[in-house]
């Protein structure tokens, strides 16, 4: 054993033997850590044998294995926990390198945790559409305000484009930007995850232990796609004909499956509300059917829509137009059917519904192509925070978007409990409201900006035509354009041009830059 001292109390080496355990005991070692997976090479001494020998010498042995180059943050946390309170430690792997690297990572993490807290006028949790739009709109009003965006993601996505990727209209890369390129100038970006909120102390604690304090907080943390809520789904996503436009890496697979399917069964699912972009499951279905219709293969394909809800769309004014496409594409609709299990290798989907006696039953369906919309919840760190309602969403006033308990906190986007459709169009209206109310609060003025619940769902029913559904709280129809320009109750070419050609550049160069065309906040009289 070639033992290398990293500190007086921590040493590393290559793979140790049982004799080496005796040597380490004689030198006063009280903890042995293995960073080497068992069976990494033939004839390797098993960790269990080392642990047994160590126990005879009153030495604790801990197994924290990882392959070369694959150390995870969970490994570092386990290492920190194991070494806490232990003063004479020896770690080993195949050469000693991994044992050295994990020590360095743990100590670097500890040093970061000791960094003094930093303060900003406004802290925004989440650098998605809601977070960045709010920061940009606030800077338009208050150029000198200090703003911090907290988000660990390296990429920023134009998610409304993914349905068009799944329909073969956009390339996936067209919907992605580097996060660093879309953070507004003058805004500090902390590339970390939030661990906890301490609203009574006006601070958040990050995953690395750093504290960030604020005068005002904006929670724009988005939504969690709960793939694991459906048994077997995570294991088969991206193969066996199972796909979803709700993921950047899977939307191209949707288009691939649609192109390859010439005969068979195609199933499209929608879970219980709330979900973001409630029309997206149908958009995937209509665009696939449009392709099969134009390829003259639709008559050979049995298309089914399984919806956990009871209606095709929540705003009745738009249902007739959608039903005409259901009829055109000969889609079989199954309402009150919730996907609960997927058997990818055997191409079976299982839905929970109720029989004629109102008893729960499971219905099995075969598929060749299965497009899934996952159930959705607030992110775990939000649901476990003191900011949420009983359902786990951030609790806000539905008009001002101010928190119901903490007056210096606002929330918008998918994570808020305001009863609007969770769409990008909703965020486009919400961001100026939050920015205006924070701006007024900074000046100690009464807040008067209100959000009316506006949301929009461009329902792409075929390549070249869209039913542009626009509505506010209570399902009240709220069109942007007069009917003579665009009749939202019908599929129109103008709505397609808006969706495909106008909205993407408007998003990147307008919305994320703080331009508030058509969305100046309404003010209470």
């Amino acid at each position: 054993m070639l033992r290398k001292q990293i500190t007086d109390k921590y040493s590393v080496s290559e793979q140790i033997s049982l004799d080496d355990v005796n040597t380490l005991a004689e030198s006063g070692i009280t903890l042995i850590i293995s960073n080497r997976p068992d069976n990494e090479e033939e004839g390797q001494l098993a960790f269990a044998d080392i642990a047994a020998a160590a126990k005879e010498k009153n030495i604790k042995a801990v197994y924290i294995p990882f392959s070369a180059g694959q150390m995870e943050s969970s490994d570092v946390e386990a290492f920190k926990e194991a070494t806490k309170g232990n003063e004479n430690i020896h770690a080993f792997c195949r050469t000693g390198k991994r044992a050295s690297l994990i020590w360095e990572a743990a100590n670097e993490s500890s040093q970061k945790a000791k960094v003094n807290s930093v303060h900003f006028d406004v802290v925004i949790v989440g650098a998605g559409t809601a977070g960045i739009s709010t920061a940009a709109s606030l800077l338009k009003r208050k150029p000198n305000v200090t703003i911090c965006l907290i988000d660990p993601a390296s990429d920023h996505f134009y998610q409304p484009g993914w349905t068009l990727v799944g329909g073969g209209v956009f390339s996936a890369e067209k919907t992605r930007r580097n996060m660093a390129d879309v953070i507004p100038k003058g805004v500090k970006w902390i590339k970390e995850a939030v661990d906890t909120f301490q609203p009574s102390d006006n601070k958040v604690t990050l995953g690395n232990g750093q504290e960030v304090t604020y005068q005002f907080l904006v929670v724009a943390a988005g939504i969690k796609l709960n793939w694991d809520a459906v048994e077997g789904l995570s294991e088969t996503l991206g193969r066996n004909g199972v796909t979803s436009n709700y993921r950047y890496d899977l939307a191209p697979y949707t288009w691939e499956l649609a192109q390859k399917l010439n005969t068979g069964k195609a199933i499209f699912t929608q879970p219980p509300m709330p979900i973001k972009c409630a029309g997206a499951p149908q958009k995937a279905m209509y665009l696939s059917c449009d392709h099969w219709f134009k390829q003259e293969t639709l008559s050979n394909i049995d298309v089914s829509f399984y919806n956990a809800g009871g209606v095709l769309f929540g705003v009745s004014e738009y249902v007739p137009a959608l039903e005409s496409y259901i009829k055109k594409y000969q889609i079989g609709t199954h309402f009150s059917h919730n996907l609960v299990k997927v058997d990818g290798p055997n191409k079976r989907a299982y839905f929970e519904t109720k029989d004629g006696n109102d008893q729960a039953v499971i219905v099995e369906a075969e598929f060749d192509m299965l497009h899934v919309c996952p159930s959705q919840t607030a992110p775990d760190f939000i649901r476990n925070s003191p900011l949420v309602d009983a359902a786990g969403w951030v609790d806000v006033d539905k008009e001002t978007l101010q928190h119901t308990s903490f007056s210096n906190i606002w929330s918008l986007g998918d994570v808020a409990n305001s009863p609007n459709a969770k769409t990008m169009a909703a965020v486009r209206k919400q961001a100026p409201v939050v920015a205006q109310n924070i701006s007024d609060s900074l000046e100690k003025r009464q807040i008067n900006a209100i959000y009316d619940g506006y949301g929009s769902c461009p329902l792409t029913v075929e390549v070249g035509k869209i039913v542009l559904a626009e509505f506010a709280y209570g399902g009240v129809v709220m069109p942007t354009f007069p009917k003579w320009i665009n009749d939202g109750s019908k599929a129109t070419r103008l709505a397609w041009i808006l969706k495909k050609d106008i909205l993407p550049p408007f998003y990147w160069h307008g919305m994320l830059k703080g331009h508030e065309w058509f969305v100046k906040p309404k003010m209470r009289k």
Side-chain angles (χ1 to χ4, degrees):
M1 174 180 60
L2 296 175
R3 188 176 175 192
K4 177 182 178 181
Q5 290 291 148
I6 304 297
T7 70
D8 290 343
K9 301 298 183 180
Y10 184 77
S11 61
V12 301
S13 73
E14 77 283 7
Q15 173 73 50
I16 63 174
S17 66
L18 295 180
D19 288 340
D20 292 331
V21 173
N22 295 329
T23 302
L24 293 170
E26 292 170 0
S27 66
I29 290 295
T30 57
L31 171 65
I32 294 175
I33 298 175
S34 170
N35 296 130
R36 189 181 191 193
D38 278 342
N39 303 313
E40 196 171 48
E41 66 180 358
E42 188 176 352
Q44 177 184 333
L45 183 62
F47 172 74
D49 295 332
I50 294 173
K55 185 176 181 180
E56 292 179 359
K57 301 293 182 180
N58 294 317
I59 298 175
K60 184 179 179 181
V62 177
Y63 188 50
I64 310 175
F66 57 93
S67 298
Q70 297 182 27
M71 180 172 62
E72 303 283 349
S73 59
S74 58
D75 299 322
V76 177
E77 291 303 314
F79 182 88
K80 288 164 64 176
E81 183 65 28
T83 56
K84 189 185 301 181
N86 287 282
E87 294 188 349
N88 295 297
I89 307 163
H90 181 79
F92 70 91
C93 55
R94 188 178 71 84
T95 64
K97 183 176 181 180
R98 277 170 276 179
S100 298
L101 289 175
I102 197 169
W103 179 87
E104 292 174 3
N107 279 272
E108 180 183 359
S109 175
S110 297
Q111 289 301 316
K112 285 182 179 179
K114 295 176 183 177
V115 174
N116 293 329
S117 65
V118 290
H119 180 82
F120 296 89
D121 296 328
V122 181
V123 167
I124 302 175
V125 176
T129 300
I132 290 180
S133 298
T134 301
S137 287
L138 187 54
L139 281 177
K140 291 284 186 180
R141 292 167 171 81
K142 293 286 183 182
N144 295 322
V145 72
T146 60
I147 302 175
C148 168
L149 276 165
I150 303 175
D151 198 307
S154 299
D155 298 314
H156 184 96
F157 298 100
Y158 177 63
Q159 295 184 29
W162 291 351
T163 54
L164 294 182
V165 174
V169 180
F170 283 175
S171 65
E173 187 59 24
K174 189 174 181 179
T175 68
R176 189 200 69 82
R177 297 285 189 279
N178 294 324
M179 183 69 82
D181 296 334
V182 296
I183 299 291
K185 290 183 179 179
V187 172
K188 172 69 174 178
W189 173 34
I190 297 180
K191 194 174 183 290
E192 289 287 345
V194 168
D195 187 31
T196 58
F197 294 86
Q198 295 90 43
S200 298
D201 298 324
N202 297 327
K203 70 180 180 181
V204 297
T205 301
L206 308 184
N208 64 1
Q210 186 178 17
E211 295 179 348
V212 183
T213 60
Y214 55 82
Q215 185 176 357
F216 298 100
L217 174 69
V218 178
V219 183
I223 203 165
K224 175 184 175 181
L225 303 179
N226 193 12
W227 304 102
D228 292 332
V230 176
E231 181 183 347
L233 177 58
S234 295
E235 298 91 322
T236 195
L237 274 171
R239 55 199 182 97
N240 298 318
V242 182
T243 187
S244 178
N245 286 345
Y246 275 79
R247 252 176 49 180
Y248 171 77
D249 61 322
L250 293 178
Y253 186 50
T254 301
W255 177 233
E256 178 186 331
L257 290 172
Q259 288 179 294
K260 290 181 177 179
L261 190 65
N262 295 312
T263 183
K265 297 182 178 181
I267 293 176
F268 298 81
T269 75
Q270 181 168 314
M273 295 297 175
I275 61 172
K276 61 178 175 180
C277 192
Q282 291 187 54
K283 297 177 196 180
M285 177 174 66
Y286 296 137
L287 282 172
S288 296
C289 286
D290 179 55
H291 171 72
W292 297 324
F293 180 82
K294 290 172 180 175
Q295 294 298 311
E296 299 183 351
T297 57
L298 184 59
S299 60
N300 300 324
I301 300 172
D302 180 10
V303 183
S304 298
F305 181 47
Y306 285 81
N307 187 351
V311 295
L312 190 60
F313 194 72
V315 182
S316 61
E317 282 81 355
Y318 302 107
V319 172
L322 299 178
E323 286 181 334
S324 69
Y325 278 90
I326 292 289
K327 183 177 180 181
K328 174 182 176 179
Y329 297 137
Q330 299 179 354
I331 298 169
T333 55
H334 305 267
F335 297 107
S336 301
H337 281 66
N338 185 33
L339 181 69
V340 294
K341 178 181 176 180
V342 176
D343 181 352
N346 292 308
K347 296 187 179 297
R348 297 288 190 277
Y350 298 85
F351 299 88
E352 185 179 86
T353 188
K354 291 186 177 180
D355 62 17
N357 297 318
D358 204 34
Q359 298 298 307
V361 294
I362 300 297
V363 174
E364 178 183 345
E366 299 179 10
F367 66 83
D368 295 287
M369 173 183 177
L370 174 64
H371 180 278
V372 177
C373 171
S375 63
Q376 296 163 39
T377 66
D380 294 344
F381 77 100
I382 296 293
R383 290 189 294 115
N384 295 325
S385 78
L387 305 179
V388 298
D389 63 10
W393 306 96
V394 181
D395 199 7
V396 298
D397 179 275
K398 72 175 187 177
E399 291 187 332
T400 64
L401 303 177
Q402 185 180 36
H403 199 276
T404 57
S405 299
F406 304 101
S407 61
N408 65 335
I409 296 178
W410 277 262
S411 182
L412 73 160
D414 296 343
V415 78
N417 71 348
S418 50
N420 56 276
K422 296 182 182 296
T423 68
M424 188 196 78
V427 172
R428 189 165 65 88
K429 283 265 191 168
Q430 291 173 339
V433 170
V434 172
Q436 183 63 50
N437 283 336
I438 291 179
S439 178
D440 288 336
S441 296
L442 284 164
E443 297 295 330
K444 303 191 182 308
R445 296 191 295 258
Q446 181 178 347
I447 63 172
N448 289 307
I450 58 173
Y451 168 58
D452 55 17
Y454 174 84
S456 174
C457 187
L459 290 150
T460 313
V461 289
E462 62 178 284
V463 172
K465 285 191 177 182
I466 280 176
V467 175
L468 182 57
E470 297 178 282
F471 42 88
Y473 284 139
V476 176
V477 175
M478 184 178 284
T480 299
F481 307 103
K483 186 170 286 189
W484 63 270
I485 293 179
N486 185 80
D487 186 351
S489 66
K490 299 177 181 178
T492 67
R493 177 72 178 175
L494 180 61
W496 168 263
I497 294 171
L498 180 70
K499 166 78 172 178
K500 175 180 174 289
D501 299 320
I502 297 176
L503 288 181
F506 171 81
Y507 178 79
W508 296 115
H509 306 297
M511 190 173 172
L512 297 189
K513 304 295 184 183
H515 298 299
E516 298 174 7
W517 304 311
F518 303 108
V519 290
K520 293 292 183 183
K522 292 183 178 181
M523 307 299 287
R524 280 196 180 121
K525 296 181 181 179

